[in-house]
Amino acid sequence: VQLQASGGGLVSTGGSLRLSCAASGRTRNIKNMGWYRQAPGKERELVANVANFGPTTLADAVKGRFTISRDYAQNTLYLQMNSLRPEDTAVYYCNAVVEYGPVERVVTEDFWGQGTQVTVSS
């Protein structure tokens, strides 16, 4: 699976951005997709994810401001980010969890996009 993220940029506090992540390759094996972010000097953290045709999860820090969605027909993941704050500044990474193999020996693998920079100025 290949993941191509886009949509990052520079925005002022209170502004909005929409990130996109286009998946290609063995997309039929994708189980979950999500967005992570990593700020300078900090560990990578989960922002939001969505299970295959299932529920979404949002980190407490972004609840009420960010929305994750997935277009299954286009194999694309989105992150709508509103009311952005300086603390949202980070490199945002798209993630896909893939499962394959026979039922008795399922293999799970993580794939990552290249990251897109989001910078929120105060």
Side-chain angles (χ1 to χ4, degrees):
V1 173
Q2 295 79 43
L3 303 173
Q4 181 69 43
S6 61
L10 173 64
V11 65
S12 300
T13 297
S16 298
L17 284 173
R18 189 192 195 203
L19 304 184
S20 299
C21 175
S24 60
R26 301 182 66 174
T27 57
R28 61 182 295 181
N29 295 103
I30 293 176
K31 301 301 290 185
N32 303 323
M33 293 190 76
W35 291 97
Y36 289 71
R37 66 186 181 186
Q38 187 167 19
K42 295 187 177 181
E43 294 187 355
R44 190 172 297 188
E45 63 177 2
L46 174 68
V47 177
N49 65 11
V50 53
N52 223 20
F53 297 100
T56 61
T57 301
L58 289 167
D60 288 343
V62 305
K63 283 181 180 176
R65 301 187 297 122
F66 291 10
T67 302
I68 188 171
S69 61
R70 186 173 166 187
D71 185 330
Y72 293 89
Q74 298 296 323
N75 293 312
T76 303
L77 182 72
Y78 300 99
L79 184 68
Q80 178 65 44
M81 305 186 294
N82 299 327
S83 302
L84 283 161
R85 305 166 180 169
E87 53 264 39
D88 294 318
T89 295
V91 177
Y92 284 70
Y93 295 91
C94 176
N95 168 265
V97 177
V98 172
E99 288 186 355
Y100 55 92
V103 174
E104 63 272 14
R105 287 200 311 272
V106 172
V107 176
T108 300
E109 193 170 353
D110 271 286
F111 291 86
W112 295 91
Q114 83 283 11
T116 183
Q117 177 71 47
V118 171
T119 303
V120 185
S121 62
S122 56

